[in-house]
Amino acid sequence: MSVGYVQRSERVAVIGVGILGASVGWNLSRHGAEVVFIDAGQPGEGVTNWSFSWVNASNKTGRRSYFDLNVAGMAAYRQLAETIGPDSWWHPNGHLRWADAPAAEAKLLETAELLASWDYRVEVSTGAEVRRRLEPALTVPGKTPVLFYPDEAWVHGRHLVGRLVGRAVESGAERRSGTAVCDIGVGADGTIQTVTLSDGSCLDVDAVVNAAGPSASRVAGLIARHLPMRREPGAVTRIDCARVLVHRAMHAPHIEIRPDGDASVVLHSREIDALIDTGEDPAELARLLHESAKHVVPELGNAVISQTRVAHRPITADGFPSVGAVPSVPGYYEAVSHSGITLGPVIGRLLASEILSGKRDEMLADFRPDRFPRDSARRRQYRPGRRVSVNRLVTQSPCGRRRRPCTASTYDNSMHPA
């Protein structure tokens, strides 16, 4: 199926420059579109930089189509590493997972059986075997079953975003960092026409990609669209180490651990996240994460907490991505997903293709934006002051003649990954 689409030579504003925005923009740019990256902060320094950054499909078994999309995301990463070079961002070392309670252990083994039936590679080892072959610094009990997913990985999101945006800029893309989107203007026919920024500038555009992460609902509101999202904050801590003692991402009981380069380790825990809304100080959250990590890797006791951030995850109301065109507003597209790290390259490729060709990929059929009920608010009305012609809707834009102050709907995605 095809919808109204953007020709290659036209201009696309990508709002939010985390992993999803960077991936969409890079794919658009390399195929000839004129791209403008817009971010209230700096590319890759929002939630993309404060994610566990685990590339996987083993945690995505709730819906087969979602699992398949994540498997495609993993394959897209391998292709991307070949295309732009792996350097410091790509770490395909697999993933470990184990539990410390019988019920949780049984659940993990049940999931492993399901994944194996779906041809997803998984190996079941003992704790002793894992310590001998893969991670000697762990304290996992010798007889505990440990799942190893060899095709999974972790990525350094900020480095990857920098690489993608850099490549896009080399192809002619423009960066507008440190400025927020205040308004999205539409023409008499309801199509996207302009984007107004907090620095007072106004850009003539032919399409926008809403990749603003947890702020995506506010950006959608600029065109009177209702995009329901959950509030789900998460705490991530980085600890500095004299040497990194783990070699891959892992889900241990009560704590998630992964390397983060040559001298840093990232920690996260859903259990600790549950304390955020109790008003617990971030420094205390970091201490609790560090304590849990020491039970798994005792030598991390010598590490020093360096950074902690509580960030809001970009999760739609039903938990699944919102990707593609919104037919009621031609030229408006969404790229919003909690699994942005895993899905970035595949969503970037599929959405860029949709924008440039108008063709919808069936892989995204279950994740279309129009599955959410339409908002009861009236559609944004055409604003006077724009001259209209038969050949091209906008022959003269009001953007260059006045500056418009931002309103209360201004979004700030300085912590958002897109």
Side-chain angles (χ1 to χ4, degrees):
M1 179 180 178
S2 297
V3 295
Y5 61 94
V6 175
Q7 299 292 337
R8 288 190 178 192
S9 61
E10 297 187 348
R11 199 178 197 197
V12 183
V14 177
I15 304 172
V17 194
I19 185 60
L20 283 175
S23 296
V24 175
W26 173 68
N27 276 282
L28 286 169
S29 182
R30 70 198 288 247
H31 289 102
E34 183 182 348
V35 174
V36 184
F37 291 109
I38 303 169
D39 198 291
Q42 296 298 318
E45 294 190 359
V47 175
T48 289
N49 193 40
W50 292 98
S51 163
F52 191 61
S53 297
W54 167 39
V55 177
N56 80 96
S58 62
N59 208 38
K60 317 292 176 54
T61 58
R63 179 185 289 184
R64 183 59 192 262
S65 60
Y66 187 48
F67 169 80
D68 290 342
L69 182 62
N70 279 268
V71 169
M74 295 168 65
Y77 264 110
R78 292 188 286 271
Q79 296 168 356
L80 182 63
E82 293 179 1
T83 301
I84 68 172
D87 289 352
S88 62
W89 65 268
W90 178 232
H91 302 273
N93 301 324
H95 169 253
L96 295 169
R97 189 164 201 154
W98 70 99
D100 62 354
E105 186 175 285
K107 181 64 176 176
L108 291 182
L109 293 172
E110 178 185 335
T111 299
E113 289 183 9
L114 174 65
L115 290 165
S117 74
W118 288 352
D119 297 321
Y120 193 82
R121 289 210 301 163
V122 55
E123 302 170 7
V124 182
S125 302
T126 65
E129 291 170 335
V130 166
R131 291 199 309 268
R132 184 174 65 253
R133 293 191 302 113
L134 300 174
E135 298 285 357
L138 300 185
T139 59
V140 55
K143 295 183 179 180
T144 295
V146 180
L147 305 182
F148 177 52
Y149 295 98
D151 295 328
E152 296 183 353
W154 70 271
V155 301
H156 196 298
R158 180 166 50 84
H159 290 179
L160 175 54
V161 167
R163 174 66 68 85
L164 294 175
V165 171
R167 288 289 186 97
V169 169
E170 289 173 1
S171 297
E174 180 183 352
R175 281 179 51 177
R176 295 290 189 103
S177 301
T179 186
V181 172
C182 302
D183 189 35
I184 298 173
V186 299
D189 60 353
T191 61
I192 296 295
Q193 300 295 313
T194 60
V195 173
T196 304
L197 306 182
S198 60
D199 63 7
S201 61
C202 189
L203 311 177
D204 287 324
V205 298
D206 302 287
V208 297
V209 176
N210 179 357
S215 285
S217 60
R218 281 181 277 170
V219 172
L222 296 176
I223 59 160
R225 166 167 162 74
H226 176 59
L227 174 60
M229 298 185 71
R230 301 178 189 172
R231 182 186 180 278
E232 198 164 319
V236 171
T237 287
R238 283 184 166 88
I239 56 176
D240 289 342
C241 314
R243 66 187 182 99
V244 174
L245 300 160
V246 293
H247 304 92
R248 54 191 46 81
M250 61 188 70
H251 278 65
H254 318 295
I255 189 72
E256 302 164 20
I257 305 171
R258 71 160 172 84
D260 191 49
D262 296 331
S264 180
V265 170
V266 164
L267 308 177
H268 173 253
S269 168
R270 293 281 181 174
E271 296 174 21
I272 301 302
D273 286 351
L275 301 176
I276 293 172
D277 285 337
T278 67
E280 197 68 74
D281 185 79
E284 177 62 11
L285 300 176
R287 188 192 69 79
L288 293 171
L289 287 166
H290 193 195
E291 284 294 323
S292 293
K294 288 190 291 185
H295 289 297
V296 179
V297 185
E299 289 183 68
L300 290 180
N302 299 320
V304 177
I305 296 171
S306 61
Q307 295 176 302
T308 301
R309 178 75 62 88
V310 174
H312 293 276
R313 301 184 181 95
I315 307 179
T316 64
D318 64 8
F320 293 107
S322 180
V323 183
V326 174
S328 60
V329 187
Y332 171 82
Y333 300 84
E334 286 178 353
V336 183
S337 176
H338 172 42
S339 298
I341 288 292
T342 298
L343 297 178
V346 69
I347 285 179
R349 174 171 56 82
L350 295 178
L351 185 55
S353 177
E354 179 176 329
I355 293 169
L356 295 172
S357 72
K359 296 179 180 178
R360 299 183 174 205
D361 194 289
E362 281 302 307
M363 193 175 293
L364 297 175
D366 286 347
F367 313 110
R368 289 281 162 196
D370 53 11
R371 73 182 184 274
F372 296 111
R374 291 188 64 179
D375 189 50
S376 59
R378 287 189 309 171
R379 282 280 307 278
R380 179 180 296 269
Q381 298 297 311
Y382 172 64
R383 293 190 302 270
R386 182 176 289 127
R387 291 210 301 262
V388 179
S389 72
V390 173
N391 295 326
R392 177 155 168 76
L393 179 63
V394 175
T395 57
Q396 183 175 351
S397 167
C399 293
R401 297 199 302 271
R402 61 178 177 175
R403 291 190 172 188
R404 303 182 51 167
C406 284
T407 66
S409 58
T410 297
Y411 83 106
D412 178 0
N413 73 336
S414 60
M415 289 181 58
H416 306 332

